[in-house]
Amino acid sequence: MLSLSYSSIAIVLCAMAGQLAHAHTQLYNVAIGSTAYKRGEYIQTVVGPRLSPVANFTKNEIRCRNDNGVSPKTPYLAVKAGTEFSVVWHHYNDSPDDNMVSPSHRGPCMIYLGKVEENPDDIKWFKIYELGFNKDTKKWCSDVARDNHGRVDVIIPKDIMDGKYLLRTELLALHKANIAWGAQFYPNCVQLDITGSSNKFLDPPPEFVSFPGAYQRNDPGILYDHRKDKGLNYVIPGPEVYPPTKPN
């Protein structure tokens, strides 16, 4: 009969924990054009292990992986509306061999903006970017970001209001999404001070949502079996992207 000492079991468990953490991800830094900022400089800290996902999206942690609205200790990054803004995910560091997220943790990316309010429950969020599954390349956004060393680029909309915002990034891993509460959410928030906007919304205006509240357990993009559907009919959760795509 095989027996293991306590020390052997501890080594195995530590190794398993390390593999699990290595599968997960965090928002590591941000950039404006060619200017990359220091790790975590404008990114809110998270509650608990910084790589752990949020499973229960009915809790406040779904906002920014913490229980905050605004973090007083986190400075605001000044950015002009209409600027290309980059977010970069990694495991632990930005070395070339850092894999961002495990290849098994495939799924969409979403980016939201929310104007800062004194009460975080009052923040109304609107989506400015999403990328799901590409039927031609057979790649999810997580694959695309990993191929680009964790980087995703987005344009800060011109037709919004000036002011202080939270930019909320989100990776959604679908490898366990075929069961209820199995989807893994990786949200993070960047604090921005946006100027140079038109100070008005386009018509139609953004579709505003709340976090928590934007997602439901049975949403087709959250309760989803990617092994059966293979991404072909996937519906990204949340509101439509603003500004809306112009017709061809």
Side-chain angles (χ1 to χ4, degrees):
M1 180 177 177
L2 179 64
S3 64
L4 292 174
S5 67
Y6 287 115
S7 59
S8 298
I9 294 173
I11 291 171
V12 171
L13 291 175
C14 286
M16 291 174 62
Q19 290 173 351
L20 287 172
H22 192 64
H24 299 164
T25 193
Q26 61 179 317
L27 189 64
Y28 190 86
N29 69 338
V30 297
I32 299 176
S34 60
T35 303
Y37 295 91
K38 288 187 288 187
R39 174 186 178 183
E41 187 174 3
Y42 298 99
I43 302 169
Q44 291 187 6
T45 56
V46 304
V47 172
R50 66 181 184 273
L51 295 174
S52 296
V54 175
N56 189 343
F57 47 82
T58 67
K59 303 295 186 181
N60 288 342
E61 287 79 8
I62 193 61
R63 290 182 192 135
C64 304
R65 236 186 305 186
N66 57 42
D67 200 23
N68 301 328
V70 176
S71 172
K73 296 181 179 179
T74 304
Y76 287 88
L77 174 59
V79 59
K80 293 285 188 182
T83 298
E84 184 178 77
F85 189 83
S86 302
V87 299
V88 185
W89 288 279
H90 288 303
H91 281 308
Y92 302 116
N93 55 60
D94 59 355
S95 65
D97 59 350
D98 185 273
N99 203 25
M100 188 195 88
V101 70
S102 168
S104 68
H105 287 41
R106 306 178 79 193
C109 316
M110 293 85 80
I111 299 178
Y112 293 80
L113 280 176
K115 207 163 192 297
V116 168
E117 301 284 353
E118 184 174 350
N119 183 345
D121 293 337
D122 294 333
I123 296 176
K124 299 303 180 186
W125 304 85
F126 58 99
K127 188 188 288 181
I128 62 171
Y129 175 90
E130 66 179 20
L131 184 63
F133 182 77
N134 187 306
K135 297 178 182 179
D136 295 325
T137 64
K138 307 294 192 243
K139 288 187 176 184
W140 291 88
C141 181
S142 56
D143 303 320
V144 175
R146 191 169 51 251
D147 291 346
N148 200 28
H149 198 43
R151 180 172 177 143
V152 166
D153 301 323
V154 62
I155 300 296
I156 302 297
K158 185 75 174 175
D159 293 298
I160 58 174
M161 311 297 175
D162 283 355
K164 290 182 166 58
Y165 284 82
L166 300 183
L167 181 138
R168 177 182 179 273
T169 66
E170 184 171 48
L171 284 174
L172 175 54
L174 299 172
H175 56 295
K176 295 182 179 179
N178 59 310
I179 59 174
W181 306 105
Q184 293 183 354
F185 298 81
Y186 295 88
N188 289 97
C189 287
V190 187
Q191 299 196 172
L192 301 182
D193 187 1
I194 299 176
T195 58
S197 74
S198 67
N199 278 310
K200 62 181 180 180
F201 290 119
L202 296 173
D203 187 19
E207 180 183 350
F208 294 101
V209 297
S210 298
F211 285 107
Y215 301 151
Q216 304 300 319
R217 185 181 67 175
N218 293 325
D219 285 350
I222 292 175
L223 185 61
Y224 173 77
D225 192 338
H226 78 90
R227 294 174 183 85
K228 287 185 178 180
D229 185 62
K230 302 186 184 302
L232 298 178
N233 299 290
Y234 184 73
V235 179
I236 299 173
E240 296 293 322
V241 170
Y242 176 87
T245 302
K246 295 180 181 179
N248 294 326

